[in-house]
Amino acid sequence: MKVPLQRLARRPQPFKAHPFLRPLHSQRWNSSLSQKPGAAGVRFPGAVDSKFTSALFFEHPSTYPAIPTYRCMSPDGDIIDPAFTPASDTLALQMYENMLSVSIMDVIMFDAQRQGRLSFYMTGQGEEGTCVGSASALEIEDVVFCQYREAGVFKQRGYTFEDFMSQLFANKKDHGRGRNMPVHYGSKALNIHTISSPLATQIPQASGAAYALKMQRLTNPNIPPRIVACYFGEGAASEGDFHAALNIAATRSCPVVFICRNNGYAISTPTLEQYRGDGIASRGIGYGIDTIRVDGNDIWAVREVTKRARELALKDGGRPVLIEAMSYRISHHSTSDDSFAYRARVEVEDWKRRDNPITRLRKYLEKKGVWDEEKENEARGRIRKEALMAFAQAEKEKKPALRCMFEDVYEEMTPEVKAQMKELKDVLDRYPEEYDVAEFEGGKDTLSQ
Amino acid sequence: MRIAPRTISRFLASPTTRKGLDVPNISRQRPYSTHPPAARLNIPTDFSTTSLLAHSSQSALQNTELDAEVRNGTTKRMNLFQSINDALSLALAADESVILFGEDVAFGGVFRCSMGLAENYGSERVFNTPLSEQGIVGFGIGAAAEGMKAVAEIQFADYVYPAFDQLVNEAAKFRYRDGKEGRHVGGLTVRMPCGGVGHGALYHSQSPESLFSHIPGLRVIVPRSPIQAKGLLLAAIASNDPCIFMEPKALYRAAVEQVPIGSYTLPLSKAEVLKEGSDLTIVSYGHPLYTCGAAIEKAEKDLGIGIELIDLRTVYPWDKECVLSSVRKTGRCMVVHESMINAGIGAEIAASIQEDKETFLRLEAPIARVAGWSIHMGLMFERFNIPDVARVYDSIKQTVEY
């Protein structure tokens, strides 16, 4: 909530002001809030602009229309508002190839998991538009927190097939040193924090990270303005961490864009069992956050909305923005899930055929004359070949050194852990037949002190 | 959700009834601080004479763990909350990346630990958060992940559990899961008042340190005095590992000593031998060290023995070598802590001693644990629950007479 200037002016001066920092936040106890006799509005400290009413009336969500869903391209690939200009064809083609790349990788890796060649996988079918579209509107300096279904974000920011495959096979080139389950990607160079399994934990972290970026720019104006983008599903938004994050981001004016992928399901739980309000977007308003709902199958809409949200997040010293991107989870939740146990196959097929972010952009590109069947076949063949090459290469790489298992718990290995590493080495020495260490880089010797 | 914190915490931390508090009690003396008239052991700690505090400048500056510059400086009389305030102020002044936040920290904190800091360092660096522990720690992790030194306050250790997921699954594992990328949340320090205070009952008395000692990746620190609190807190803030800093709230006003005014750190994961002895090793940390000190004084006189007293300071990762070498010398060991016996810090220490081949052979008595019973802290029963001088004395007697 904006504080009237006259209240700020009454704020006592700090007796030793910090040289770089202006006070941006008012403290309510510094100004006096009292009820004027006969006033039409309430001046309770908890709701300063509320008007009195003598009509007893409960607010009900049904008295408000559902928040509209912004789209700028029809399912046939036509731009709806002639005033809207999409980005260049070069970028459109790049975004299209990135969506295609993650969807092709998804099919290959899903099958590879079924063959037992990797332990786990999660596809992002149906949500390529949300991920690639939003990521295309961010600067590379912007910090990103993901949930796990955002391969498109990684691809759009420059993650290569080699990076994906190294992580998926947990080989010695894996940035995570073979510690995380597949699809828990992370990249410092691309400013994407490493994914963790606990849902929604990244959301308050994104608020804190955004506050850090704002503070760093306040103390050093040479740093370019940056935001944090934070992705999560509509199921994760039921966690307490979602509530904590949005509330703290609003009260501390953090430049963070929350991007909710509302794909209709959290594993088997449909949204009707997840919430009864108007989706996730309606909650943003309650926290005092600028909010928008967008068609996640419309990559231009997602890109435009994210671009505007980024600008808004940086305005007036920073503020949070909530984007709810609507889509449909075409894939199973993960390779450990058979979604036909809780939803009709025909429903999935219908979404896949009727409305899909990849086919929608393809129609747009074909209508502009920059894409056709021949280019499509060439691209699909080429991407598939690249992915399979990276797959084969990653699969045959050695696993990370066994020592990696003991390192990085603390900055330095503790005496306790050093002793335990030696204990493991001794067991491997005494029972060489019981363990296969050949696939690990350097074998058991890396456990030596 | 909870009792109005400002009222209760002032009431909890203050050794005397304050004016203006509506306490319907004519007597100036609080009934729970009295002791039986014939008591010889269970006499309240006299903090003005205990040898565990530096009552003169000279004794404060003798500490060889301080660097030369600090030792050549001066001291100032401070209680525990003032020394924490001093440490926070020095940290904020030295490094612009330090931020301080939590519930009610802006006006000075319900225990006065952040007094004057918002005025001095700006409301952007010292600020209130909404009332949400998971939000506070999650926010701190995110800020630390982007290079800030985030000092978060949980108003009472009893309320840290909503943030348990963020601490265990996120802060502790951040460096490990980031692997080669090398990002970490070592800049995070989470401060929380802990321990019994006479009348805190179920939710203003807890000491959950052993829950955190089961979590690789976190450093868990419990200071016993103003000098320690300052040096260990500055070390925790400087540390590149996430730290849980537990402040015994009963000592906030009670423990007063001469504290060096310079900026200094004390080593983490390093125990301190407070007193040498040859017949028994007592391991403790935080507030019960004063109980141990009083019991040792009586037992040494009565039983004609010499007792070694070790302050762990960091309860995890702990200084095993210091404890083991002491027990190898004395052959007997006792662990004293306020929190419950079951799977407490004492269990880890006792198990570590018996599984060390060399130390096991030197043991002449079972390792004793004097700690809170495996129950909750009922309001009226605190003085029968927290280890007191009589229980520590009795355990010393039984261990040496075994």
Side-chain angles (χ1 to χ4, degrees):
Chain A
M1 178 176 297
K2 284 282 261 273
V3 173
L5 277 176
Q6 64 270 26
R7 264 203 269 154
L8 277 177
R10 280 207 299 273
R11 198 170 179 275
Q13 284 298 304
F15 65 81
K16 201 176 104 189
H18 189 277
F20 300 112
L21 302 176
R22 292 176 296 115
L24 291 176
H25 299 276
S26 72
Q27 281 159 314
R28 201 167 271 172
W29 45 264
N30 274 336
S31 58
S32 168
L33 277 176
S34 54
Q35 191 66 51
K36 302 273 186 300
V42 187
R43 293 270 286 170
F44 291 121
V48 291
D49 296 323
S50 173
K51 299 276 180 284
F52 285 122
T53 176
S54 56
L56 196 160
F57 174 73
F58 290 95
E59 300 293 330
H60 191 270
S62 64
T63 55
Y64 297 89
I67 293 170
T69 303
Y70 173 73
R71 70 161 43 158
C72 53
M73 175 169 62
S74 75
D76 295 325
D78 297 316
I79 297 300
I80 298 161
D81 177 3
F84 176 79
T85 320
S88 71
D89 291 345
T90 320
L91 181 68
L93 287 166
Q94 185 219 31
M95 283 160 57
Y96 183 70
E97 283 216 5
N98 283 340
M99 285 202 289
L100 215 51
S101 297
V102 288
S103 77
I104 289 170
M105 180 176 74
D106 274 354
V107 174
I108 294 172
M109 300 320 290
F110 191 86
D111 291 346
Q113 195 283 332
R114 285 289 183 257
Q115 295 167 15
R117 293 167 81 173
L118 76 162
S119 57
F120 178 78
Y121 192 71
M122 297 179 109
T123 72
Q125 285 151 347
E127 295 173 69
E128 299 92 342
T130 303
C131 294
V132 171
S134 58
S136 78
L138 301 173
E139 297 295 326
I140 192 68
E141 295 85 12
D142 292 336
V143 173
V144 177
F145 286 84
C146 291
Q147 178 167 302
Y148 48 56
R149 209 181 294 287
E150 293 91 0
V153 173
F154 282 83
K155 187 74 186 85
Q156 182 65 28
R157 283 173 87 87
Y159 216 58
T160 65
F161 277 136
E162 188 190 349
D163 295 330
F164 281 118
M165 297 296 172
S166 302
Q167 201 286 325
L168 291 168
F169 285 103
N171 66 27
K172 67 172 190 183
K173 290 181 174 166
D174 170 18
H175 298 224
R177 305 183 89 186
R179 292 163 183 161
N180 306 309
M181 275 176 85
V183 311
H184 291 52
Y185 313 117
S187 170
K188 190 179 180 183
L190 304 177
N191 279 314
I192 313 178
H193 279 293
T194 297
I195 290 166
S196 73
S197 307
L199 285 181
T201 47
Q202 79 278 16
I203 319 179
Q205 293 172 13
S207 305
Y211 193 74
L213 302 187
K214 165 174 150 169
M215 291 297 292
Q216 285 159 3
R217 188 164 152 76
L218 274 175
T219 47
N220 179 3
N222 294 325
I223 297 175
R226 293 181 292 162
I227 66 150
V228 171
C230 178
Y231 295 84
F232 50 93
E234 91 286 350
S238 293
E239 293 281 2
D241 275 330
F242 167 86
H243 159 69
L246 269 71
N247 200 28
I248 202 167
T251 56
R252 295 312 301 171
S253 307
C254 303
V256 52
V257 176
F258 299 109
I259 304 171
C260 177
R261 298 176 290 94
N262 190 336
N263 63 17
Y265 286 93
I267 306 190
S268 74
T269 307
T271 50
L272 266 178
E273 291 168 21
Q274 199 64 249
Y275 53 74
R276 279 299 160 98
D278 179 22
I280 308 305
S282 65
R283 300 180 197 170
I285 300 158
Y287 291 109
I289 291 178
D290 297 84
T291 300
I292 194 165
R293 176 174 283 156
V294 62
D295 181 348
N297 290 338
D298 177 351
I299 197 166
W300 290 129
V302 174
R303 179 178 153 82
E304 190 60 16
V305 158
T306 313
K307 219 167 87 183
R308 297 280 192 88
R310 188 180 185 278
E311 288 164 11
L312 204 52
L314 289 168
K315 249 174 95 176
D316 304 330
R319 71 170 92 162
V321 182
L322 173 63
I323 299 172
E324 182 182 27
M326 311 308 288
S327 66
Y328 185 86
R329 196 192 80 209
I330 289 171
S331 57
H332 298 300
H333 164 71
S334 74
T335 49
S336 310
D337 171 53
D338 173 13
S339 67
F340 300 130
Y342 50 81
R343 61 180 184 179
R345 198 178 283 265
V346 58
E347 175 187 316
V348 180
E349 286 304 321
D350 193 37
W351 274 99
K352 210 164 163 179
R353 217 181 29 251
R354 187 161 51 99
D355 198 13
N356 174 305
I358 299 180
T359 48
R360 210 192 283 195
L361 185 61
R362 182 178 167 184
K363 285 174 187 166
Y364 167 88
L365 292 170
E366 284 178 351
K367 284 184 177 168
K368 286 205 85 181
V370 293
W371 200 251
D372 54 32
E373 188 72 24
E374 195 187 329
K375 283 182 171 149
E376 175 81 9
N377 290 336
E378 182 277 328
R380 282 187 176 271
R382 171 171 45 83
I383 292 167
R384 197 177 144 75
K385 212 172 116 190
E386 281 172 20
L388 286 172
M389 269 173 61
F391 179 109
Q393 188 63 38
E395 200 178 25
K396 68 171 187 249
E397 283 289 354
K398 286 230 172 198
K399 299 299 177 199
L402 277 174
R403 190 185 178 85
C404 294
M405 138 187 195
F406 290 101
E407 289 174 331
D408 302 333
V409 177
Y410 293 93
E411 185 179 30
E412 284 171 26
M413 218 186 279
T414 60
E416 179 184 25
V417 170
K418 278 185 189 164
Q420 289 172 359
M421 187 168 77
K422 185 182 177 303
E423 243 182 85
L424 177 63
K425 171 79 167 34
D426 293 346
V427 171
L428 299 185
D429 284 342
R430 287 199 295 275
Y431 299 90
E433 309 300 320
E434 305 297 325
Y435 299 93
D436 184 6
V437 295
E439 62 174 329
F440 294 93
E441 177 86 341
K444 65 183 180 183
D445 291 344
T446 63
L447 295 176
S448 303
Q449 302 296 318
Chain B
M1 177 176 162
R2 69 190 66 160
I3 300 164
R6 290 181 199 177
T7 312
I8 192 159
S9 55
R10 279 194 200 134
F11 191 54
L12 288 175
S14 169
T16 55
T17 306
R18 305 175 110 230
K19 267 187 195 166
L21 258 184
D22 186 21
V23 183
N25 187 356
I26 296 116
S27 161
R28 293 293 295 165
Q29 183 120 47
R30 294 194 306 195
Y32 41 80
S33 62
T34 57
H35 59 278
R40 188 177 76 93
L41 299 167
N42 279 341
I43 296 165
T45 308
D46 184 355
F47 286 96
S48 63
T49 58
T50 172
S51 61
L52 297 185
L53 294 170
H55 301 292
S56 70
S57 255
Q58 205 183 3
S59 60
L61 297 172
Q62 266 169 8
N63 189 341
T64 51
E65 282 181 338
L66 304 176
D67 61 40
E69 202 183 325
V70 174
R71 295 183 70 188
N72 289 331
T74 53
T75 64
K76 194 181 160 196
R77 226 173 101 84
M78 295 181 200
N79 63 24
L80 191 83
F81 84 65
Q82 288 164 333
S83 81
I84 284 164
N85 183 274
D86 188 37
L88 293 171
S89 182
L90 287 167
L92 284 158
D95 183 352
E96 286 201 328
S97 68
V98 175
I99 53 174
L100 184 71
F101 53 91
E103 294 158 16
D104 305 299
V105 304
F107 88 107
V110 297
F111 287 114
R112 320 313 287 143
C113 291
S114 48
M115 257 181 23
L117 301 178
E119 291 88 334
N120 270 334
Y121 300 101
S123 59
E124 287 82 3
R125 295 182 67 200
V126 181
F127 53 88
N128 289 340
T129 64
L131 206 162
S132 165
E133 284 76 14
Q134 65 195 107
I136 292 169
V137 174
F139 185 92
I141 290 170
E146 287 305 315
M148 303 299 277
K149 292 276 185 194
V151 185
E153 179 180 299
I154 300 293
Q155 203 160 69
F156 287 85
D158 313 57
Y159 304 128
V160 72
Y161 309 115
F164 213 56
D165 184 37
Q166 285 286 354
L167 287 167
V168 174
N169 277 328
E170 298 292 319
K173 295 171 175 60
F174 206 100
R175 182 193 293 278
Y176 192 74
R177 73 173 184 231
D178 208 45
K180 243 179 251 180
E181 303 295 273
R183 287 169 294 189
H184 60 86
V185 294
L188 178 71
T189 302
V190 183
R191 296 175 40 241
M192 59 190 83
C194 70
V197 70
H199 49 290
L202 281 77
Y203 307 111
H204 297 86
S205 305
Q206 298 178 38
S207 298
E209 65 273 9
S210 69
L211 296 177
F212 295 112
S213 73
H214 197 59
I215 313 303
L218 300 177
R219 285 192 193 275
V220 189
I221 303 150
V222 190
R224 73 158 195 279
S225 73
I227 292 179
Q228 250 193 20
K230 180 175 169 181
L232 291 174
L233 181 53
L234 284 168
I237 294 169
S239 162
N240 281 328
D241 295 315
C243 293
I244 307 285
F245 194 81
M246 301 179 62
E247 301 162 5
K249 66 175 96 58
L251 301 178
Y252 272 141
R253 289 168 193 270
V256 184
E257 66 182 335
Q258 292 290 339
V259 178
I261 56 159
S263 183
Y264 63 91
T265 61
L266 292 171
L268 301 182
S269 292
K270 198 170 180 308
E272 182 182 358
V273 179
L274 294 179
K275 178 184 167 311
E276 300 212 7
S278 55
D279 302 302
L280 168 68
T281 302
I282 298 183
V283 183
S284 190
Y285 51 90
H287 195 193
L289 284 163
Y290 297 94
T291 310
C292 294
I296 287 169
E297 204 179 299
K298 293 279 192 296
E300 286 188 335
K301 208 187 282 173
D302 292 355
L303 307 171
I305 54 170
I307 297 173
E308 186 141 308
L309 181 60
I310 296 178
D311 178 1
L312 277 187
R313 300 196 282 194
T314 300
V315 298
Y316 194 78
W318 60 291
D319 190 351
K320 196 185 282 187
E321 200 39 54
C322 173
V323 173
L324 290 183
S325 63
S326 170
V327 179
R328 273 178 225 137
K329 180 178 75 177
T330 61
R332 292 180 178 86
C333 184
M334 255 175 71
V335 188
V336 183
H337 53 71
E338 262 190 49
S339 57
M340 296 74 76
I341 287 188
N342 48 302
I345 298 294
E348 180 64 25
I349 293 173
S352 299
I353 290 170
Q354 73 80 28
E355 79 179 357
D356 183 75
K357 294 181 185 74
E358 215 181 310
T359 318
F360 174 71
L361 288 175
R362 286 284 297 112
L363 278 183
E364 289 170 35
I367 300 157
R369 291 183 284 166
V370 186
W373 309 118
S374 303
I375 55 170
H376 308 298
M377 188 78 89
L379 178 71
M380 285 316 294
F381 315 113
E382 181 176 317
R383 72 190 120 119
F384 300 101
N385 188 11
I386 291 180
D388 57 12
V389 181
R391 279 175 62 198
V392 176
Y393 177 90
D394 180 61
S395 189
I396 293 171
K397 197 160 176 286
Q398 296 207 29
T399 302
V400 296
E401 289 173 356
Y402 176 78

